[in-house]
Amino acid sequence: MAGQSVSPMMQQYFEIKKQHPNEILFYRVGDFYEMFYDDALTASRELELTLTGKACGQEERAPMCGVPFHSYEIYVARLIAKGYKVAICEQMEDPATAKGLVKRDIIRVVTPGTVIESSMLAEDKNNYLCSIYAKKVRGGWKAGICFADISTGEAYATELHNEKMGGALITELCRYMPSEILINPAVLDLKDLTNYIKQHTNALVELREDSCYKQAVVESMLSRQFGEDWNKSCGFAPDGFVPQAFGALLGYLYETQKHGTERIKAVQNYADAQYMRLSAVTRANLELTETMRGREKKGTLLWVLDKTETSMGKRMLRSWIEQPLVDNKVINERLDAVEALYNANVGRAELKEALSHVFDIERLTTRILYGSATPREVKALGDTCQRLPQVKEQAAAAGAKLLNDLAEAVDPLSDILDKVSRALVDDPPANLKDGGAIREGYNAEVDELRDIMHGGKGVLSQLEADLRQQTGIPKLKIGFNKVFGYYIEVSRSYVGSVPETFTRKQTLTTGERYITPELKELENKILGANERLLALEHQLFSELLNDISAQLLRIQRTATAVAQLDVLASFAEAAVQNNYVKPTVDDSDVLDIAEGRHPVIEQMLKSSLFVPNDTTLDEGENRMLIITGPNMAGKSTYMRQNALIALMAQIGSFVPAAKCRVGVVDAIFTRVGASDDLAAGQSTFMVEMTEVAEILRNATKSSLVILDEIGRGTSTFDGMSIARAVVEYICDNIGCKTLFATHYHELTSMDKDVFGVKNYNIAVKKRGEDITFLRRIVSGPADDSYGIEVAKLAGLPDAVIKRAHKVLRQLEATAPGANASMQLDFETVEAYNNPTVPSEVVDKLHQIDVETLTPLEALNFLYELKQALK
């Protein structure tokens, strides 16, 4: 627009837009946020808004669209969900009092990872901003990765050293599932990581320049946030990459959030070894927090275990499921706490009742800190404080060590309750601008202004009576006009009695009009009462927010403790409702489960009985269970349920079994099912082999491995060879606990050749061509594959089934080394498929009307048929 004449307001717009070229600019004009030019074209398309034009001093009108400022959040949320960033440009002064052009400035930039508005956030999920700083060093790659949720103030960081850095970083992203990721340029070389982000996440990726990671810049950011002694308080390794990652994250927050970054008070450093390793594939296969197909909560482990009462508890439960522990001591502290709550039925109910009245104080506090909290939200914080003593009391009464520690950490916040109760009315307005938020008696001036507003005329009448008495002028009266405002009118006959304090303002034929300082002060109060009252309420409310913000650490500590109590109570409630038992968790090499059940499937099939199964695995003689049996019989369910039971035990939950012992596993790896990864140009077999390679590279002796149908994506002999080699490698080189399902019956002979291999199969009951799945795991290999029978169950045409049987017998008859006793001549096969039925039986069947038969008649008819067949 250089050299072209534009209106002053549009000139101001262009100057601000120049600083934010990559964001959609919400430019406040009166009661609307307006968008112009390209931003208007984009917003009108994405938000389905009417596109108009605005005269701005040029021949052509500027494309324009707008949204009401009081409901802007829903529009911003939709743009954020579509991958845009939005810069909010606010009027920095009151247009009514501004001289000339109203000052405007950016108050914040909203991006997917910096949202704090509750209307834009899922209550049961954290919203993480991630920062990765990675570089190639001698011996591989080194990286610092951190995650921060500014809506709750949580921050986590860890250091990684790995030759295959892409996979290691993907594992960390899976733990936290950030909505926005900051990366340094070197990360672009990790193609597997960038492909994963692009294909499997909705995260917005922001490439930061190398200058953001310079030592001086990083130290400046960390000092600003945590003080000069940041290295000691944050616990970052001196030569690590975490400071660069976190410094860049803070720099981004300072750029986009003009205030509120003080919400992040500390960083929790975690080591990869603190948590069970779960790859992206494993998380998806086990359906921990979302189903594979619908990507919904129902049908997941999270859905089964979520009996929480608070939003904070819901987020923490998700976090615990995503990050199972590997420290036996900490796991058992959780289990003991769950046991105490499990046994205390009345106490647990009372604890859950108190928790049900606790609001999301983590996110409320953030909004208070930002100054964007409403009176109703602050009152919700006060209401929560009323319930905290009850939460504290019930947690302490249950008796377990962890519950006592958490009860100790719950601060009743009685001072905050007192402040909120004294300052705010019982039912405050939704918005401060509506007025009426401050309680009567909290501030004398507020009370006086309200009195004036509601009883101004009464005050004037009282003043008039007082002046008549003081002056002795019986007909003195107080009046009002738009020119002079309020005045005192005295008739001519009493002018001599007017005190010296009266100032003459106007002479009339009938008398004189006067003003006094007292009347002028009252006039100012009456005329400006409403405006002054709103300003004063705003000031008092801001002071209340500042007072609460000063207690941030106490509130955060309490919120964290309350969230943990909520999750532990949820585990206890789920255990009671679903008939779970307390597992024994130790550092042994055993996974021993009696009558284990799949926690999700048994809930999905409430109307039918789930068949439980036993499992014995260790790192010795029972390290590899080879499981055979037909498709649909339950092999995958059985293997997944064992993985889920181990995982549940290690998050501190009771488990669906009659008895259970879990030796802590450091990782769960799964290879279940496969599909073409067409986007990456990989076939089913390639995907399968890539996943197996990942397992063989990363599994340790303490891992649990689930392998389903290895090698079926290629020719039979290739697949069988690969499957056998994988079994041998795991048993001989890794030695971890493994469940291996296969259709290659030839592999069942490996129990004689390889130490640690045991054969199991899913029991099937067969009657002629009909089969029934018993869902029971029994020792030994399956005696048949039952593939054709399963095809029949699936509804393949009879002709296809008969032909399949015929071809099968031919193949079995001609296979090298086939067992002669198992072979049938083709006439026998034909007779088997087409048994001759006496015509007498056929005639009887045609004649009978089945619908009119009584049960007894049906029984007699069946007996007649049987006699005829004989």
Side-chain angles (χ1 to χ4, degrees):
M1 294 296 163
Q4 297 184 37
S5 172
V6 292
S7 63
M9 191 192 84
M10 290 307 292
Q11 202 169 336
Q12 183 190 55
Y13 169 83
F14 288 127
E15 286 169 8
I16 294 171
K17 179 63 186 170
K18 199 187 297 178
Q19 298 164 32
H20 295 273
N22 301 320
E23 291 89 34
I24 293 177
L25 182 60
F26 272 40
Y27 186 76
R28 179 74 180 271
V29 181
D31 287 341
F32 283 83
Y33 284 113
E34 305 285 12
M35 286 147 278
F36 301 102
Y37 296 101
D38 289 348
D39 285 356
L41 297 172
T42 302
S44 66
R45 181 182 70 248
E46 299 288 6
L47 301 175
E48 299 171 1
L49 300 173
T50 303
L51 191 66
T52 61
K54 180 177 178 66
C56 55
Q58 298 175 300
E59 283 183 29
E60 288 186 24
R61 291 162 66 83
M64 180 185 89
C65 65
V67 299
F69 87 95
H70 56 79
S71 59
Y72 81 98
E73 288 183 9
I74 56 173
Y75 298 101
V76 172
R78 285 167 63 188
L79 289 171
I80 294 297
K82 290 171 182 280
Y84 295 97
K85 298 180 183 179
V86 178
I88 308 292
C89 179
E90 196 51 80
Q91 293 174 165
M92 305 309 286
E93 54 185 347
D94 187 347
T97 58
K99 292 180 180 177
L101 188 63
V102 177
K103 285 181 187 168
R104 292 179 174 86
D105 201 1
I106 300 294
I107 57 166
R108 65 185 280 237
V109 176
V110 187
T111 72
T114 60
V115 175
I116 59 162
E117 289 79 4
S118 52
S119 62
M120 298 189 210
L121 294 168
E123 66 161 6
D124 63 341
K125 266 187 204 172
N126 280 96
N127 185 51
Y128 288 111
L129 170 65
C130 170
S131 176
I132 301 171
Y133 178 71
K135 272 174 77 176
K136 207 161 192 179
V137 295
R138 186 178 295 174
W141 281 78
K142 183 175 170 182
I145 183 168
C146 56
F147 303 86
D149 182 348
I150 66 167
S151 73
T152 65
E154 296 165 71
Y156 305 93
T158 194
E159 193 88 28
L160 299 171
H161 300 262
N162 205 306
E163 195 178 335
K164 300 276 184 182
M165 183 55 78
L169 287 169
I170 289 169
T171 298
E172 299 311 309
L173 292 179
C174 288
R175 283 193 213 283
Y176 295 97
M177 295 306 292
S179 55
E180 188 171 4
I181 305 169
L182 313 177
I183 60 172
N184 66 309
V187 173
L188 294 173
D189 293 335
L190 298 168
K191 296 299 179 194
D192 49 348
L193 173 65
T194 54
N195 285 338
Y196 172 80
I197 293 171
K198 203 182 301 175
Q199 293 167 25
H200 300 288
T201 76
N202 295 318
L204 179 71
V205 178
E206 180 81 14
L207 180 64
R208 306 294 283 166
E209 296 175 0
D210 280 325
S211 58
C212 299
Y213 301 93
K214 285 184 177 171
Q215 194 67 26
V217 175
V218 167
E219 288 182 4
S220 160
M221 296 298 164
L222 292 166
S223 299
R224 178 176 166 183
Q225 186 73 16
F226 302 113
E228 292 299 324
D229 213 9
W230 59 266
N231 215 345
K232 189 183 289 184
S233 63
C234 293
F236 297 152
D239 59 342
F241 281 6
V242 168
Q244 277 84 351
F246 210 88
L249 183 143
L250 289 172
Y252 185 69
L253 289 178
Y254 293 144
E255 277 177 33
T256 57
Q257 314 302 297
K258 302 303 175 185
H259 64 288
T261 48
E262 60 270 31
R263 183 72 175 91
I264 299 171
K265 291 286 187 186
V267 186
Q268 185 180 322
N269 286 283
Y270 69 94
D272 186 38
Q274 255 179 281
Y275 303 115
M276 182 192 287
R277 281 176 296 142
L278 296 167
S279 68
V281 173
T282 299
R283 290 170 194 276
N285 284 335
L286 295 182
E287 297 185 307
L288 300 180
T289 58
E290 59 179 30
T291 58
M292 290 178 77
R293 285 188 173 80
R295 293 195 173 280
E296 57 189 0
K297 180 178 171 182
K298 185 174 181 181
T300 66
L301 182 63
L302 175 64
W303 169 69
V304 171
L305 294 179
D306 189 1
K307 312 292 180 190
T308 54
E309 302 291 342
T310 70
S311 300
M312 300 176 292
K314 288 182 191 305
R315 291 194 294 273
M316 186 159 283
L317 172 61
R318 181 183 289 270
S319 166
W320 282 15
I321 290 173
E322 295 278 19
Q323 303 185 95
L325 301 170
V326 292
D327 186 330
N328 168 22
K329 181 172 175 288
V330 182
I331 294 168
N332 278 297
E333 280 183 359
R334 284 187 187 176
L335 287 170
D336 291 345
V338 174
E339 183 179 35
L341 291 168
Y342 178 91
N343 292 328
N345 283 324
V346 175
R348 185 180 71 255
E350 289 181 356
L351 174 61
K352 289 181 75 65
E353 162 62 18
L355 287 167
S356 69
H357 297 281
V358 170
F359 289 86
D360 193 347
I361 55 178
E362 275 184 330
R363 285 181 171 166
L364 277 180
T365 308
T366 300
R367 292 176 64 76
I368 287 169
L369 193 65
Y370 270 75
S372 60
T374 65
R376 209 166 274 175
E377 287 175 328
V378 177
K379 183 66 169 59
L381 176 62
D383 292 345
T384 291
C385 295
Q386 274 187 314
R387 299 286 178 167
L388 292 177
Q390 190 183 347
V391 171
K392 189 179 178 79
E393 181 188 342
Q394 293 303 331
K401 178 186 179 301
L402 179 55
L403 295 177
N404 286 329
D405 292 345
L406 292 173
E408 192 68 32
V410 174
D411 187 326
L413 303 173
S414 50
D415 52 333
I416 292 176
L417 171 60
D418 179 57
K419 276 193 178 96
V420 172
S421 301
R422 284 191 300 106
L424 299 181
V425 296
D426 289 336
D427 186 19
N431 291 300
L432 191 59
K433 63 181 176 60
D434 296 337
I438 301 299
R439 187 185 287 277
E440 186 180 341
Y442 183 69
N443 180 276
E445 192 178 351
V446 166
D447 294 347
E448 187 183 354
L449 288 168
R450 281 193 187 139
D451 192 44
I452 289 167
M453 280 178 61
H454 299 131
K457 288 182 180 175
V459 174
L460 288 168
S461 300
Q462 184 62 48
L463 179 60
E464 190 178 75
D466 290 346
L467 287 172
R468 282 177 180 175
Q469 191 175 356
Q470 288 166 17
T471 60
I473 303 171
K475 291 191 177 177
L476 176 149
K477 63 179 182 181
I478 293 175
F480 175 82
N481 69 27
K482 289 183 180 177
V483 180
F484 298 119
Y486 286 100
Y487 56 80
I488 301 165
E489 189 170 321
V490 179
S491 62
R492 283 202 174 281
S493 54
Y494 286 99
V495 168
S497 303
V498 171
E500 290 180 4
T501 53
F502 282 30
T503 304
R504 190 158 61 83
K505 199 71 182 166
Q506 188 182 17
T507 302
L508 305 171
T509 54
T510 56
E512 299 283 347
R513 286 178 176 172
Y514 302 89
I515 58 169
T516 67
E518 186 184 7
L519 183 61
K520 211 66 195 164
E521 187 183 338
L522 189 58
E523 176 189 301
N524 290 337
K525 279 185 177 178
I526 292 171
L527 297 181
N530 188 41
E531 194 177 315
R532 171 69 187 136
L533 180 60
L534 285 175
L536 186 56
E537 283 206 30
H538 196 282
Q539 179 193 327
L540 292 169
F541 188 68
S542 294
E543 288 171 5
L544 177 63
L545 296 188
N546 289 337
D547 288 347
I548 295 172
S549 297
Q551 306 305 318
L552 179 61
L553 284 174
R554 289 172 60 208
I555 297 171
Q556 182 63 52
R557 193 162 51 242
T558 297
T560 304
V562 168
Q564 290 185 60
L565 287 170
D566 194 12
V567 178
L568 294 168
S570 177
F571 284 167
E573 190 67 27
V576 171
Q577 289 183 19
N578 302 334
N579 191 28
Y580 293 169
V581 298
K582 182 184 180 183
T584 300
V585 179
D586 53 32
D587 288 325
S588 68
D589 66 353
V590 172
L591 179 61
D592 195 358
I593 301 168
E595 296 182 24
R597 313 184 305 275
H598 193 295
V600 180
I601 292 177
E602 76 166 348
Q603 295 305 313
M604 298 290 275
L605 304 175
K606 278 286 193 186
S607 57
S608 54
L609 188 67
F610 187 93
V611 178
N613 275 299
D614 298 345
T615 303
T616 301
L617 276 168
D618 55 42
E619 291 163 25
E621 290 185 0
N622 299 290
R623 64 177 62 168
M624 169 84 69
L625 307 190
I626 291 183
I627 303 157
T628 46
N631 286 319
M632 300 289 294
K635 297 193 300 293
S636 293
T637 297
Y638 170 71
M639 294 195 298
R640 281 189 174 103
Q641 85 186 29
N642 285 303
L644 285 170
I645 287 171
L647 185 141
M648 287 172 73
Q650 287 185 222
I651 63 175
S653 167
F654 281 23
V655 298
K659 193 177 177 186
C660 176
R661 182 184 178 194
V662 178
V664 171
V665 299
D666 64 359
I668 295 175
F669 295 98
T670 62
R671 222 305 313 160
V672 181
S675 58
D676 290 350
D677 191 349
L678 298 176
Q682 292 187 333
S683 67
T684 301
F685 183 63
M686 185 63 179
V687 171
E688 183 183 331
M689 289 300 101
T690 303
E691 290 177 7
V692 172
E694 195 72 20
I695 293 170
L696 299 184
R697 259 201 312 270
N698 295 303
T700 72
K701 196 174 183 182
S702 300
S703 301
L704 174 62
V705 174
I706 308 293
L707 295 170
D708 192 2
E709 307 292 350
I710 293 297
R712 66 178 174 181
T714 185
S715 72
T716 303
F717 292 116
D718 277 357
M720 202 186 304
S721 307
I722 291 168
R724 184 177 181 107
V726 167
V727 170
E728 290 173 353
Y729 185 89
I730 290 174
C731 285
D732 298 341
N733 295 66
I734 303 174
C736 60
K737 297 181 280 290
T738 306
L739 295 167
F740 190 108
T742 184
H743 278 299
Y744 296 135
H745 287 250
E746 293 78 1
L747 297 182
T748 57
S749 64
M750 292 183 71
D751 62 339
K752 301 178 182 65
D753 310 326
V754 182
F755 174 74
V757 171
K758 291 282 189 292
N759 283 309
Y760 285 84
N761 74 90
I762 306 282
V764 172
K765 189 173 184 180
K766 187 171 181 181
R767 286 182 184 168
E769 290 185 41
D770 295 326
I771 59 169
T772 304
F773 300 135
L774 300 180
R775 313 286 184 197
R776 177 73 71 185
I777 284 278
V778 294
S779 183
D783 59 356
D784 202 345
S785 68
Y786 302 103
I788 296 174
E789 285 79 1
V790 174
K792 183 179 178 183
L793 285 178
L796 259 63
D798 286 344
V800 174
I801 298 298
K802 288 174 182 177
R803 175 62 182 155
H805 271 297
K806 190 169 185 177
V807 172
L808 176 63
R809 301 305 171 190
Q810 288 174 333
L811 290 172
E812 287 179 343
T814 56
N819 186 342
S821 65
M822 293 293 290
Q823 295 173 19
L824 296 170
D825 60 68
F826 298 140
E827 287 76 14
T828 309
V829 172
E830 194 61 37
Y832 171 74
N833 286 327
N834 300 291
T836 55
V837 179
S839 57
E840 183 189 346
V841 173
V842 175
D843 291 341
K844 281 180 181 289
L845 283 169
H846 281 307
Q847 289 166 13
I848 196 75
D849 184 359
V850 177
E851 293 178 4
T852 61
L853 285 180
T854 67
L856 186 59
E857 286 170 340
L859 202 59
N860 288 332
F861 181 65
L862 191 59
Y863 178 76
E864 283 176 31
L865 289 181
K866 194 170 180 183
Q867 292 302 112
L869 283 171
K870 284 182 181 177

